[in-house]
Amino acid sequence: MTSRVTAFAPATVANITVGFDSLGLCLDHFGDRVTIEKSEATGVSIQEIEGTSVLLPLDPAKNTATLGVLSLYSEQSPDFGLRVSIKKGLPIGSGLGSSACSSVAGVCAAARLIAPDLSKEDLLSYCLEGEALAHGVGNADNIAPCLLGGMVFVAEDSPLRLLRLKVPASLWVTVFHQDVFVPTEKARALLPSEVSTRTAVLQSRRLAEFLLLLERGSLRDLSEVLEDYLAEPYRKNLIPHFEEFRIAARDAGAFHLGISG
C-alpha cells in the first residue's frame, strides 16, 4: 500500500502573447516537486521547503502547494494525516507559473494517497485554489497546461471550460530568463482597465488566426500573428533590453519573442 508519493509539476508559459489569461503551455525538464507521506497524526502539515531563498509560509492554509490539498483532505476525510515536503525548482516571480507548479504538484501527490480514482480534470478545482491564493484570482492559463499537459485554451472561467490544442511537433519554445523579479500583482497593475475597440478587434483577430494556424499546422505564418496589443506594450519596460532581445531572437530565426506570464 502506497504511503509516500512524490509528484513533479512542470513550468508553464501563459498568455503566449496573443492569449492573455486564456492560453498556456507546459514545458519539459524543470518545475516543482512535492513529496507527501502518510502520518499517524491527522491533518496536513508542511515539514520542509527547499530550493528557494524566499521565506514561504509553513502554514498549510497559506501555502500555494497545500491549500488545495487541505480542501481535498477535508472532503475525503482519510483516517491518517499528510506530511508535506516542497522542493521548489522555479524562481518565484519568474513568469513561469511557479505558484501553479506548487499547487498542481501538491494536489496530485495528495490525490494519489487519498483519492486515486479522481481524474486530472477532477483535480482542477483544487489546484486553482492555490493559484487564487497566490494572485487573488484563480486563472487557469497556468494551472490547466501544468496539470493536463500540452497547450490549453481557457474558453471560460466560470464554469471552467477548456480546449486542448494540437501543437505541431516541430514547434519549439525557448525560454530566456533574466534575473528579474516581477510580481504578478505589479504586472497586472500596469494594465489599463479599458481598451479601445480597435485594440480589442486587433487582439481577437490575432488570437483567432493563431488558433487556426495551430490547427492547420501552418507554422510559417505564426510570426505574423503573435503581436500582443493588450499587455506587452505596458509590461515590456519591466524587462531590461526587451526590444534588443526581440530583434536578436528574430535574427536567430524565432517566430516571435514575447513575455511569459
Side-chain angles (χ1 to χ4, degrees), residues 99-110:
S99 57
C101 268
S102 296
S103 183
V104 169
V107 168
C108 286

Side-chain angles (χ1 to χ4, degrees), residues 41-255:
T42 57
V44 178
S45 62
I46 298 177
Q47 300 301 296
E48 61 178 348
I49 303 174
E50 301 179 68
T52 179
S53 59
V54 178
L55 188 62
L56 298 176
L58 291 173
D59 182 347
K62 297 179 180 179
N63 193 298
T64 59
T66 46
L67 184 59
V69 173
L70 282 173
S71 293
L72 183 62
Y73 182 88
S74 176
E75 289 186 11
Q76 298 294 322
S77 299
D79 59 359
F80 53 85
L82 300 177
R83 291 196 298 258
V84 182
S85 298
I86 303 164
K87 187 170 185 178
K88 292 294 295 178
L90 286 179
I92 295 171
S94 62
L96 295 174
S98 175
S99 57
C101 268
S102 296
S103 183
V104 169
V107 168
C108 286
R112 182 67 180 85
L113 290 173
I114 63 178
D117 293 333
L118 293 180
S119 67
K120 287 184 176 180
E121 288 76 11
D122 293 330
L123 299 180
L124 269 168
S125 61
Y126 302 104
C127 296
L128 284 167
E129 291 188 35
E131 187 77 337
L133 175 66
H135 304 306
V137 289
N139 289 337
D141 52 345
N142 284 115
I143 288 289
C146 183
L147 179 64
L148 303 177
M151 187 184 294
V152 179
F153 178 65
V154 182
E156 187 70 44
D157 287 318
S158 183
L160 187 61
R161 191 160 54 89
L162 306 172
L163 298 175
R164 305 286 294 277
L165 303 177
K166 294 198 309 186
V167 182
S170 56
L171 181 62
W172 287 77
V173 173
T174 299
V175 174
F176 177 81
H177 180 247
Q178 291 178 283
D179 188 16
V180 176
F181 174 68
V182 181
T184 299
E185 295 79 6
K186 180 178 180 180
R188 282 193 174 273
L190 292 175
L191 303 181
S193 57
E194 297 180 355
V195 298
S196 68
T197 300
R198 173 172 172 74
T199 297
V201 170
L202 284 172
Q203 190 82 358
S204 61
R205 285 175 175 172
R206 293 293 183 267
L207 176 57
E209 190 173 1
F210 174 74
L211 296 176
L212 184 60
L213 291 175
L214 274 188
E215 181 70 20
R216 292 177 174 175
S218 303
L219 297 186
R220 70 179 184 274
D221 297 319
L222 283 182
S223 60
E224 303 300 322
V225 304
L226 285 171
E227 190 73 25
D228 172 31
Y229 298 97
L230 287 183
E232 189 177 288
Y234 307 98
R235 290 177 166 177
K236 63 183 180 181
N237 291 332
L238 294 172
I239 302 174
H241 310 292
F242 178 78
E243 290 296 347
E244 296 171 48
F245 292 142
R246 191 207 297 277
I247 293 170
R250 287 287 186 93
D251 289 346
F255 290 127

